[in-house]
Amino acid sequence: MAHRDDSVETIQQEMTAFARRARASAARMHPELSLVSYTLLAHLDDQQGCRATDLAAHYLLDKSTVSRQIAALEKLGFVERRIDPDDQRVQVLHPTEQGAQVLANVTARRRLAFRERLADWNEDDLDRFATYLQRYNAAQEGQG
Amino acid sequence: MAHRDDSVETIQQEMTAFARRARASAARMHPELSLVSYTLLAHLDDQQGCRATDLAAHYLLDKSTVSRQIAALEKLGFVERRIDPDDQRVQVLHPTEQGAQVLANVTARRRLAFRERLADWNEDDLDRFATYLQRYNAAQEGQG
DNA sequence: CAAATCACGTTGTACTATACAACTAGCTCT
DNA sequence: AGAGCTAGTTGTATAGTACAACGTGATTTG
């Protein structure tokens, strides 16, 4: 059991260290799109549009937070709202042309950065690491 | 190369997803000590005391940020300052009794949470995951 | 040695992300 | 038609952060 606990301890420490740095480093890398804006916009792109409520549920954010984030993205011209004709309350959110463009740029740069960081990993290790992360995060869904 | 890129993409997505959630979930789990306060206090404990400047350098934070974090921790009675007799400018920071106690509590609860989340992983997987995270983070040191 | 420079930390100011509560407006169901 | 639910906004407050300006003590240098 000792070894097991050591591994858990390390995982805890490393995940914590990573989380601590992520936001600031994302901000430095992509001043034009914060980590949160990025993930929201990416989700819209990925889902082909969705509601603010869906974003809030998916990212465990308050609806007011999402409302303001979306307002900011709209002001930047990266997101547009389409009122659902069947329910006037609902705004279906979509990336604009420009939003999709910026998203693609940031995504490309992020991918490049990750690729560089992982350049000296062999394929098996990459594959396993990816699988572990998915497994770890999947277990978190729904409760942090 | 296709498979390789898929893995990199997944790693990027999963790390991003994790980072997005970490702060909020830490705050929910440990309202008495934020993720940042926790890591600063843990570093002091681990290093047997250090300077504000060292914390700033290590965590890539502005010195003003560290100054305020430490002021808050001091106000809570979790940290004390000891002026370096050889250099009056320098304050060597240490956890107090109470700070060490709170730190130990939070650490124990964090450890427990991680242990539960990873309960159904076998030892080899845990070990490899821990190693991968260390390797990944080590490559980041010094530049986000 | 005196002046310039550097290092450490604090304070003023501003901004972002966030939550919670109160609210408006639209939908649903009895 | 009225009660209650849902979607989203706005007011208010807080935490974390950066940058710039500053004070003070240490170091270097002309």
Side-chain angles (χ1 to χ4, degrees), chain B residues 1 7 13 26-27 44 68-69 72 84 90 97 101 113 115-116 123 140-141 144:
Chain B
M1 193 64 183
S7 297
Q13 282 171 8
L44 294 186
R68 285 183 235 263
Q69 288 288 332
D84 181 343
V90 171
E97 256 321 288
Q101 191 59 52
R115 213 172 274 173
E116 275 168 14
E123 191 157 330
Q140 306 316 292
E141 302 278 303

PDB file of all heavy atoms in Angstrom, chain B residues 1 7 13 26-27 44 68-69 72 84 90 97 101 113 115-116 123 140-141 144:
ATOM      1  N   MET B   1       1.897   9.354 -37.508  1.00  0.00           N
ATOM      2  CA  MET B   1       1.803  10.676 -36.853  1.00  0.00           C
ATOM      3  C   MET B   1       0.366  10.997 -36.439  1.00  0.00           C
ATOM      4  O   MET B   1       0.113  11.748 -35.521  1.00  0.00           O
ATOM      5  CB  MET B   1       2.327  11.760 -37.803  1.00  0.00           C
ATOM      6  CG  MET B   1       2.574  13.109 -37.131  1.00  0.00           C
ATOM      7  SD  MET B   1       3.865  13.094 -35.876  1.00  0.00           S
ATOM      8  CE  MET B   1       3.763  14.797 -35.292  1.00  0.00           C
ATOM      9  N   SER B   7      -3.370  11.814 -29.582  1.00  0.00           N
ATOM     10  CA  SER B   7      -3.029  11.750 -28.164  1.00  0.00           C
ATOM     11  C   SER B   7      -2.735  13.146 -27.630  1.00  0.00           C
ATOM     12  O   SER B   7      -3.204  13.530 -26.554  1.00  0.00           O
ATOM     13  CB  SER B   7      -1.818  10.848 -27.941  1.00  0.00           C
ATOM     14  OG  SER B   7      -2.124   9.527 -28.321  1.00  0.00           O
ATOM     15  N   GLN B  13      -6.892  18.727 -24.333  1.00  0.00           N
ATOM     16  CA  GLN B  13      -8.273  18.917 -23.906  1.00  0.00           C
ATOM     17  C   GLN B  13      -8.483  18.553 -22.450  1.00  0.00           C
ATOM     18  O   GLN B  13      -9.150  19.266 -21.705  1.00  0.00           O
ATOM     19  CB  GLN B  13      -9.212  18.071 -24.773  1.00  0.00           C
ATOM     20  CG  GLN B  13      -9.460  18.699 -26.132  1.00  0.00           C
ATOM     21  CD  GLN B  13     -10.213  17.767 -27.052  1.00  0.00           C
ATOM     22  OE1 GLN B  13     -10.670  16.713 -26.632  1.00  0.00           O
ATOM     23  NE2 GLN B  13     -10.349  18.165 -28.307  1.00  0.00           N
ATOM     24  N   ALA B  26     -11.643  23.169  -5.686  1.00  0.00           N
ATOM     25  CA  ALA B  26     -10.826  23.312  -4.475  1.00  0.00           C
ATOM     26  C   ALA B  26     -11.519  24.257  -3.498  1.00  0.00           C
ATOM     27  O   ALA B  26     -11.567  24.003  -2.291  1.00  0.00           O
ATOM     28  CB  ALA B  26      -9.435  23.827  -4.826  1.00  0.00           C
ATOM     29  N   ALA B  27     -12.084  25.337  -4.033  1.00  0.00           N
ATOM     30  CA  ALA B  27     -12.749  26.310  -3.171  1.00  0.00           C
ATOM     31  C   ALA B  27     -13.952  25.672  -2.472  1.00  0.00           C
ATOM     32  O   ALA B  27     -14.203  25.916  -1.292  1.00  0.00           O
ATOM     33  CB  ALA B  27     -13.192  27.519  -3.986  1.00  0.00           C
ATOM     34  N   LEU B  44       5.797  26.828   2.167  1.00  0.00           N
ATOM     35  CA  LEU B  44       6.494  27.286   3.383  1.00  0.00           C
ATOM     36  C   LEU B  44       6.780  26.106   4.302  1.00  0.00           C
ATOM     37  O   LEU B  44       7.870  25.996   4.878  1.00  0.00           O
ATOM     38  CB  LEU B  44       5.644  28.300   4.142  1.00  0.00           C
ATOM     39  CG  LEU B  44       5.392  29.638   3.459  1.00  0.00           C
ATOM     40  CD1 LEU B  44       4.652  30.577   4.398  1.00  0.00           C
ATOM     41  CD2 LEU B  44       6.693  30.260   2.981  1.00  0.00           C
ATOM     42  N   ARG B  68       0.062  40.242  -0.748  1.00  0.00           N
ATOM     43  CA  ARG B  68      -1.314  40.261  -0.244  1.00  0.00           C
ATOM     44  C   ARG B  68      -1.767  38.893   0.244  1.00  0.00           C
ATOM     45  O   ARG B  68      -2.465  38.777   1.241  1.00  0.00           O
ATOM     46  CB  ARG B  68      -2.265  40.766  -1.330  1.00  0.00           C
ATOM     47  CG  ARG B  68      -2.147  42.272  -1.528  1.00  0.00           C
ATOM     48  CD  ARG B  68      -3.140  42.772  -2.559  1.00  0.00           C
ATOM     49  NE  ARG B  68      -2.482  43.495  -3.612  1.00  0.00           N
ATOM     50  CZ  ARG B  68      -2.366  44.822  -3.658  1.00  0.00           C
ATOM     51  NH1 ARG B  68      -2.864  45.566  -2.706  1.00  0.00           N
ATOM     52  NH2 ARG B  68      -1.751  45.419  -4.644  1.00  0.00           N
ATOM     53  N   GLN B  69      -1.365  37.873  -0.461  1.00  0.00           N
ATOM     54  CA  GLN B  69      -1.726  36.518  -0.010  1.00  0.00           C
ATOM     55  C   GLN B  69      -1.140  36.255   1.374  1.00  0.00           C
ATOM     56  O   GLN B  69      -1.806  35.707   2.248  1.00  0.00           O
ATOM     57  CB  GLN B  69      -1.202  35.469  -0.993  1.00  0.00           C
ATOM     58  CG  GLN B  69      -1.936  35.429  -2.316  1.00  0.00           C
ATOM     59  CD  GLN B  69      -3.322  34.849  -2.213  1.00  0.00           C
ATOM     60  OE1 GLN B  69      -3.599  34.030  -1.345  1.00  0.00           O
ATOM     61  NE2 GLN B  69      -4.212  35.290  -3.060  1.00  0.00           N
ATOM     62  N   ALA B  72      -2.902  38.101   4.055  1.00  0.00           N
ATOM     63  CA  ALA B  72      -4.161  37.435   4.410  1.00  0.00           C
ATOM     64  C   ALA B  72      -3.890  36.230   5.316  1.00  0.00           C
ATOM     65  O   ALA B  72      -4.569  36.023   6.325  1.00  0.00           O
ATOM     66  CB  ALA B  72      -4.900  37.008   3.148  1.00  0.00           C
ATOM     67  N   ASP B  84      15.061  38.608   8.798  1.00  0.00           N
ATOM     68  CA  ASP B  84      16.411  38.065   8.701  1.00  0.00           C
ATOM     69  C   ASP B  84      17.379  39.058   9.349  1.00  0.00           C
ATOM     70  O   ASP B  84      17.472  40.202   8.904  1.00  0.00           O
ATOM     71  CB  ASP B  84      16.745  37.875   7.215  1.00  0.00           C
ATOM     72  CG  ASP B  84      18.138  37.288   6.994  1.00  0.00           C
ATOM     73  OD1 ASP B  84      18.963  37.326   7.927  1.00  0.00           O
ATOM     74  OD2 ASP B  84      18.385  36.805   5.883  1.00  0.00           O
ATOM     75  N   VAL B  90      14.606  41.462   4.428  1.00  0.00           N
ATOM     76  CA  VAL B  90      14.076  40.122   4.200  1.00  0.00           C
ATOM     77  C   VAL B  90      13.214  39.620   5.357  1.00  0.00           C
ATOM     78  O   VAL B  90      13.606  39.739   6.519  1.00  0.00           O
ATOM     79  CB  VAL B  90      15.243  39.141   3.965  1.00  0.00           C
ATOM     80  CG1 VAL B  90      14.736  37.706   3.941  1.00  0.00           C
ATOM     81  CG2 VAL B  90      15.971  39.493   2.683  1.00  0.00           C
ATOM     82  N   GLU B  97       1.946  27.372  14.275  1.00  0.00           N
ATOM     83  CA  GLU B  97       1.342  26.131  14.780  1.00  0.00           C
ATOM     84  C   GLU B  97       0.000  25.891  14.097  1.00  0.00           C
ATOM     85  O   GLU B  97      -0.227  24.858  13.488  1.00  0.00           O
ATOM     86  CB  GLU B  97       1.021  26.294  16.269  1.00  0.00           C
ATOM     87  CG  GLU B  97       1.932  25.613  17.264  1.00  0.00           C
ATOM     88  CD  GLU B  97       2.404  24.248  16.863  1.00  0.00           C
ATOM     89  OE1 GLU B  97       1.588  23.300  16.875  1.00  0.00           O
ATOM     90  OE2 GLU B  97       3.605  24.100  16.520  1.00  0.00           O
ATOM     91  N   GLN B 101      -1.357  23.198  11.326  1.00  0.00           N
ATOM     92  CA  GLN B 101      -2.491  22.344  11.656  1.00  0.00           C
ATOM     93  C   GLN B 101      -3.536  22.356  10.540  1.00  0.00           C
ATOM     94  O   GLN B 101      -3.964  21.306  10.052  1.00  0.00           O
ATOM     95  CB  GLN B 101      -3.118  22.872  12.963  1.00  0.00           C
ATOM     96  CG  GLN B 101      -4.137  21.934  13.562  1.00  0.00           C
ATOM     97  CD  GLN B 101      -3.511  20.575  13.866  1.00  0.00           C
ATOM     98  OE1 GLN B 101      -2.471  20.483  14.524  1.00  0.00           O
ATOM     99  NE2 GLN B 101      -4.109  19.515  13.343  1.00  0.00           N
ATOM    100  N   ALA B 113      -9.612  12.564  -0.810  1.00  0.00           N
ATOM    101  CA  ALA B 113     -10.433  12.736  -2.014  1.00  0.00           C
ATOM    102  C   ALA B 113      -9.743  12.101  -3.214  1.00  0.00           C
ATOM    103  O   ALA B 113     -10.360  11.375  -3.993  1.00  0.00           O
ATOM    104  CB  ALA B 113     -10.693  14.219  -2.259  1.00  0.00           C
ATOM    105  N   ARG B 115      -7.507   9.787  -3.161  1.00  0.00           N
ATOM    106  CA  ARG B 115      -7.428   8.336  -2.984  1.00  0.00           C
ATOM    107  C   ARG B 115      -8.736   7.681  -3.410  1.00  0.00           C
ATOM    108  O   ARG B 115      -8.734   6.649  -4.084  1.00  0.00           O
ATOM    109  CB  ARG B 115      -7.138   8.039  -1.513  1.00  0.00           C
ATOM    110  CG  ARG B 115      -6.303   6.826  -1.305  1.00  0.00           C
ATOM    111  CD  ARG B 115      -5.891   6.676   0.131  1.00  0.00           C
ATOM    112  NE  ARG B 115      -4.670   7.418   0.452  1.00  0.00           N
ATOM    113  CZ  ARG B 115      -4.192   7.546   1.687  1.00  0.00           C
ATOM    114  NH1 ARG B 115      -4.845   7.024   2.711  1.00  0.00           N
ATOM    115  NH2 ARG B 115      -3.077   8.214   1.887  1.00  0.00           N
ATOM    116  N   GLU B 116      -9.839   8.324  -3.037  1.00  0.00           N
ATOM    117  CA  GLU B 116     -11.132   7.754  -3.408  1.00  0.00           C
ATOM    118  C   GLU B 116     -11.325   7.755  -4.925  1.00  0.00           C
ATOM    119  O   GLU B 116     -11.789   6.791  -5.502  1.00  0.00           O
ATOM    120  CB  GLU B 116     -12.267   8.556  -2.755  1.00  0.00           C
ATOM    121  CG  GLU B 116     -12.556   8.096  -1.347  1.00  0.00           C
ATOM    122  CD  GLU B 116     -13.469   9.060  -0.612  1.00  0.00           C
ATOM    123  OE1 GLU B 116     -14.089   9.924  -1.258  1.00  0.00           O
ATOM    124  OE2 GLU B 116     -13.540   8.942   0.627  1.00  0.00           O
ATOM    125  N   GLU B 123      -2.141  -0.560  -9.344  1.00  0.00           N
ATOM    126  CA  GLU B 123      -0.914   0.090  -8.895  1.00  0.00           C
ATOM    127  C   GLU B 123      -0.004   0.516 -10.047  1.00  0.00           C
ATOM    128  O   GLU B 123       0.574   1.601 -10.017  1.00  0.00           O
ATOM    129  CB  GLU B 123      -0.164  -0.845  -7.944  1.00  0.00           C
ATOM    130  CG  GLU B 123       0.972  -0.169  -7.234  1.00  0.00           C
ATOM    131  CD  GLU B 123       1.332  -0.873  -5.932  1.00  0.00           C
ATOM    132  OE1 GLU B 123       0.429  -1.473  -5.296  1.00  0.00           O
ATOM    133  OE2 GLU B 123       2.495  -0.819  -5.561  1.00  0.00           O
ATOM    134  N   GLN B 140       7.538  21.964 -17.973  1.00  0.00           N
ATOM    135  CA  GLN B 140       6.934  23.308 -17.968  1.00  0.00           C
ATOM    136  C   GLN B 140       7.692  24.303 -17.110  1.00  0.00           C
ATOM    137  O   GLN B 140       7.549  25.503 -17.274  1.00  0.00           O
ATOM    138  CB  GLN B 140       5.514  23.260 -17.405  1.00  0.00           C
ATOM    139  CG  GLN B 140       4.633  22.295 -18.080  1.00  0.00           C
ATOM    140  CD  GLN B 140       4.781  22.359 -19.566  1.00  0.00           C
ATOM    141  OE1 GLN B 140       4.399  23.332 -20.164  1.00  0.00           O
ATOM    142  NE2 GLN B 140       5.363  21.347 -20.164  1.00  0.00           N
ATOM    143  N   GLU B 141       8.426  23.798 -16.152  1.00  0.00           N
ATOM    144  CA  GLU B 141       9.087  24.682 -15.182  1.00  0.00           C
ATOM    145  C   GLU B 141       9.802  25.819 -15.902  1.00  0.00           C
ATOM    146  O   GLU B 141      10.524  25.609 -16.857  1.00  0.00           O
ATOM    147  CB  GLU B 141      10.126  23.912 -14.361  1.00  0.00           C
ATOM    148  CG  GLU B 141       9.571  22.746 -13.603  1.00  0.00           C
ATOM    149  CD  GLU B 141       8.936  23.136 -12.284  1.00  0.00           C
ATOM    150  OE1 GLU B 141       9.624  23.739 -11.457  1.00  0.00           O
ATOM    151  OE2 GLU B 141       7.725  22.840 -12.089  1.00  0.00           O
ATOM    152  N   GLY B 144       5.561  28.887 -19.015  1.00  0.00           N
ATOM    153  CA  GLY B 144       4.214  28.288 -19.054  1.00  0.00           C
ATOM    154  C   GLY B 144       3.825  27.925 -20.444  1.00  0.00           C
ATOM    155  O   GLY B 144       2.696  27.722 -20.707  1.00  0.00           O
TER     156      GLY B 144
END
